[in-house]
Amino acid sequence: MVAGSGDCSEGEKETDMKVPASEDIKEQGDAGMDVSAADALSPSEGPPEEAREPRKWKWAVIFLCFYGFMSSIRPGEPFITPYLLSYEKNFTREQVTNEITPVLTYSYMAVLVPAFLLTDLLRYKPVLIIQGVSQVIIWIILLLGSTLIQMQFMEFFYGITMACRVAYSSYIFSLVSPVLYQRVAGYSRSSVLLGVFTSSVLGQLCMSLGNISFYTLNAISLGFVSFGLLLSMCLPWPKRSLFFNRTQTQEQKQVAATEATESELDKMNPKASVTPAATPTCSSKRWKDSVIVEMLLEVRNVVKRPNLRLWSLWWVFNSTGYYLVLFYVHILWNKVYPATDNKKVYNGGVEAASTLLSAITSFMAGYVKIRWNLWSELVIGVITALQAGLLLLMYTTDNIWVCYISYVLFRGFYQFLVPIATFQIASSLTKELCALVFGINTFLGTILKSIINLIFIDKRGLALDVHSQFQVYFIYFSILTVVYFVCAAVVIIRHYRSRSREGAGSCEQPLPTELSPVAVSSEAEPLSNGASVKA
């Protein structure tokens, strides 16, 4: 069960059994949306309505950010694991570890792709409503459910909730003109982080000072998620989206232009007729020129670019280990310190601290100046090694405070690299292709999580206890560390050998790359499928 909900990042559980919502936003591609105005809708699509009605879009953004804040307030979320293991529910640690929690990963994997497609096809709002309904169902089951199968259904709906979070991260870009993308992305992310922090602090205060039961705390959470569902129904309905609706608009314009041309030709030559073969040819061409097919073809080129390949692989492999730790760390805490007094359960406070540190490290990453084309592998290797060390501490210590601090630092290190990975991927791609790449990375990571779950955690596999699981996570991060260091050595040696061949005076020293929005180049590098990517 993971802590708090909310670190996209984008995110993704920025939750107790779940990942904090801010995390989900990141994982599910809000990062992919957070790109420069160069990726905007083309001028041919006409002036944005936001320019004509500035007051209207400002209120829409404010309302959406308020919704993001309120939907992130679930004070009972950091305490779901203790609740299931308490006398109020009385599930065993083995049931929670090996039978209940794994359902979350399987559910998320099954729903992620349909949610990604439906979000754009239905224009965001219906998916946010589905998310709100799922959250209400989760807390109703937590309050009224008492059997193992009911708790597994609770995790199933939690997977739906996580998958639907992509709708919030991309919704805000449909409300404003492209020049405002970067600013409103910051607003939406900040509102979610603030909501997660507030939720964790509120939950901890209720438990430590309010002397209330887990049941009462979850009843309060049900009230908040019900209010969030009501807010989602009041959201404005966007007129466009990233893929499907934009494509339909372009096709409609093409069809209209074709009909107009044909009409003029008919006037000039009434006897002319359209051949039967014209329709299938047009249909075939329209299919080949569709945005989705064009981007899928271009993914092959992304794999060939070393920098994009490195950070995409980091996103897949490191996020897999990161979220597995988040899903099961609360069970570890309960085993290290099985507190019988609710006042001594500090899950909410730890989640609040880790969310705050994550926000700070994400902010700091924006000011790091490094030659990423040379040092990326080394930086990733060092941070992955530190995370492996923290995991070693977590599963070997008997001190709950050491466990808490290790977890806070573990999350902070990961969140430091998230905006760097986002920048490295997004700065080289169009907005649509960027969203697709992040979606594919997230889906591959989810598949890997499911495989690890099935082998090591699920009762149908090895069904390891939580300490053994964290030992597996330590080995996993250690292997990644070795791979990154080997790759770093190869890149650095190759760089300096190449430099020595060219001679010290024949090459200019490259300037450090700053993690900040890059200037938009008017030139575009043509790609194999006829599309273009920012040079």
Side-chain angles (χ1 to χ4, degrees):
M1 321 281 172
V2 180
S5 67
D7 288 344
C8 137
S9 273
E10 264 145 293
E12 37 325 235
K13 299 158 179 154
E14 271 178 351
T15 84
D16 181 3
M17 284 194 184
K18 342 296 163 187
V19 170
S22 58
E23 313 269 356
D24 295 317
I25 293 177
K26 287 187 185 78
E27 190 185 345
Q28 295 167 20
D30 73 330
M33 305 294 184
D34 211 355
V35 291
S36 67
D39 300 324
L41 299 174
S42 62
S44 62
E45 295 180 32
E49 290 189 16
E50 297 84 3
R52 298 194 298 268
E53 299 180 81
R55 188 170 299 178
K56 182 178 179 180
W57 73 255
K58 285 181 180 179
W59 281 111
V61 169
I62 291 172
F63 185 79
L64 184 63
C65 290
F66 177 67
Y67 164 78
F69 174 80
M70 294 304 303
S71 64
S72 299
I73 298 183
R74 300 179 290 272
E77 201 165 42
F79 301 93
I80 293 179
T81 297
Y83 177 52
L84 295 178
L85 296 172
S86 68
Y87 69 90
E88 297 183 51
K89 289 299 179 184
N90 207 29
F91 290 101
T92 66
R93 190 177 289 114
E94 289 72 23
Q95 286 177 314
V96 174
T97 305
N98 306 125
E99 297 184 61
I100 297 177
T101 306
V103 176
L104 170 61
T105 301
Y106 305 144
S107 169
Y108 182 45
M109 181 184 68
V111 178
L112 180 59
V113 173
F116 179 79
L117 297 176
L118 287 175
T119 292
D120 194 88
L121 182 63
L122 301 179
R123 288 177 295 167
Y124 315 112
K125 181 174 177 176
V127 179
L128 289 176
I129 294 175
I130 292 172
Q131 181 190 47
V133 171
S134 297
Q135 288 181 331
V136 171
I137 293 174
I138 288 168
W139 262 271
I140 290 176
I141 294 175
L142 280 172
L143 291 174
L144 305 180
S146 58
T147 65
L148 180 63
I149 188 66
Q150 288 171 333
M151 293 304 109
Q152 289 174 328
F153 268 110
M154 181 271 295
E155 290 287 11
F156 171 77
F157 282 104
Y158 206 100
I160 295 176
T161 297
M162 286 185 60
C164 290
R165 284 173 180 166
V166 67
Y168 174 79
S169 64
S170 53
Y171 184 110
I172 199 163
F173 298 103
S174 69
L175 299 177
V176 299
S177 59
V179 293
L180 298 169
Y181 281 175
Q182 184 176 347
R183 189 196 307 177
V184 297
Y187 295 158
S188 63
R189 173 152 170 70
S190 299
S191 63
V192 170
L193 285 174
L194 182 60
V196 174
F197 180 78
T198 303
S199 175
S200 300
V201 171
L202 178 62
Q204 190 61 60
L205 290 176
C206 288
M207 295 304 298
S208 298
L209 303 180
N211 195 27
I212 64 176
S213 65
F214 289 128
Y215 182 90
T216 304
L217 188 61
N218 282 301
I220 295 172
S221 299
L222 177 60
F224 277 109
V225 297
S226 299
F227 181 62
L229 173 60
L230 181 63
L231 288 178
S232 69
M233 295 178 178
C234 300
L235 288 169
W237 202 299
K239 296 182 179 179
R240 67 170 186 265
S241 57
L242 193 60
F243 299 120
F244 293 105
N245 294 295
R246 180 186 174 187
T247 303
Q248 290 170 1
T249 301
Q250 291 173 337
E251 288 179 352
Q252 288 167 1
K253 290 179 179 179
Q254 291 173 0
V255 171
T258 303
E259 289 177 351
T261 304
E262 290 175 351
S263 177
E264 293 298 323
L265 289 173
D266 288 341
K267 292 177 181 178
M268 296 172 62
N269 189 8
K271 295 181 180 180
S273 60
V274 180
T275 61
T279 302
T281 302
C282 180
S283 176
S284 174
K285 185 178 185 303
R286 184 178 303 171
W287 181 84
K288 290 180 181 178
D289 291 342
S290 68
V291 176
I292 296 295
V293 173
E294 191 175 293
M295 290 186 298
L296 288 174
L297 292 173
E298 195 51 52
V299 169
R300 295 178 304 177
N301 292 341
V302 172
V303 176
K304 298 176 184 177
R305 302 163 78 109
N307 198 48
L308 294 178
R309 183 172 63 240
L310 168 68
W311 288 101
S312 292
L313 289 175
W314 174 85
W315 198 282
V316 172
F317 287 102
N318 286 59
S319 68
T320 293
Y322 173 76
Y323 281 99
L324 284 170
V325 170
L326 262 63
F327 293 169
Y328 292 95
V329 72
H330 286 251
I331 304 173
L332 177 70
W333 294 348
N334 182 269
K335 189 169 183 179
V336 172
Y337 183 68
T340 55
D341 184 357
N342 292 355
K343 290 185 177 181
K344 295 183 179 179
V345 178
Y346 300 108
N347 294 15
V350 177
E351 289 301 337
S354 62
T355 300
L356 184 60
L357 180 63
S358 296
I360 292 172
T361 55
S362 295
F363 179 79
M364 290 171 56
Y367 294 89
V368 174
K369 294 182 179 181
I370 293 178
R371 293 170 58 194
W372 291 107
N373 61 329
L374 178 61
W375 303 110
S376 290
E377 290 86 352
L378 184 60
V379 171
I380 293 174
V382 169
I383 291 182
T384 305
L386 292 172
Q387 289 181 300
L390 292 170
L391 288 172
L392 179 64
L393 268 179
M394 277 192 240
Y395 89 83
T396 55
T397 186
D398 291 327
N399 188 318
I400 188 61
W401 289 103
V402 172
C403 217
Y404 285 158
I405 294 171
S406 298
Y407 169 74
V408 171
L409 294 175
F410 178 85
R411 277 189 66 185
F413 282 130
Y414 175 82
Q415 295 304 331
F416 173 78
L417 285 181
V418 165
I420 297 174
T422 300
F423 170 78
Q424 294 295 323
I425 295 174
S427 62
S428 302
L429 302 173
T430 60
K431 178 162 59 70
E432 294 86 356
L433 186 58
C434 182
L436 186 65
V437 168
F438 276 103
I440 292 173
N441 291 344
T442 299
F443 183 64
L444 293 177
T446 306
I447 292 176
L448 183 56
K449 283 197 289 284
S450 300
I451 293 172
I452 294 175
N453 252 318
L454 190 60
I455 296 174
F456 296 103
I457 303 170
D458 198 290
K459 70 172 184 176
R460 292 164 290 186
L462 297 177
L464 298 179
D465 63 77
V466 70
H467 267 111
S468 299
Q469 286 178 37
F470 272 74
Q471 187 175 9
V472 170
Y473 304 152
F474 163 69
I475 296 172
Y476 178 85
F477 273 85
S478 298
I479 293 173
L480 290 178
T481 299
V482 172
V483 172
Y484 290 135
F485 278 140
V486 170
C487 292
V490 171
V491 170
I492 293 171
I493 291 171
R494 186 181 297 167
H495 170 79
Y496 282 105
R497 279 183 178 175
S498 174
R499 188 176 170 187
S500 63
R501 288 195 208 103
E502 295 173 1
S506 64
C507 60
E508 262 185 50
Q509 183 75 9
L511 293 173
T513 301
E514 183 176 358
L515 185 65
S516 59
V518 294
V520 178
S521 173
S522 60
E523 298 181 359
E525 178 185 349
L527 299 172
S528 61
N529 65 352
S532 64
V533 169
K534 289 181 287 184

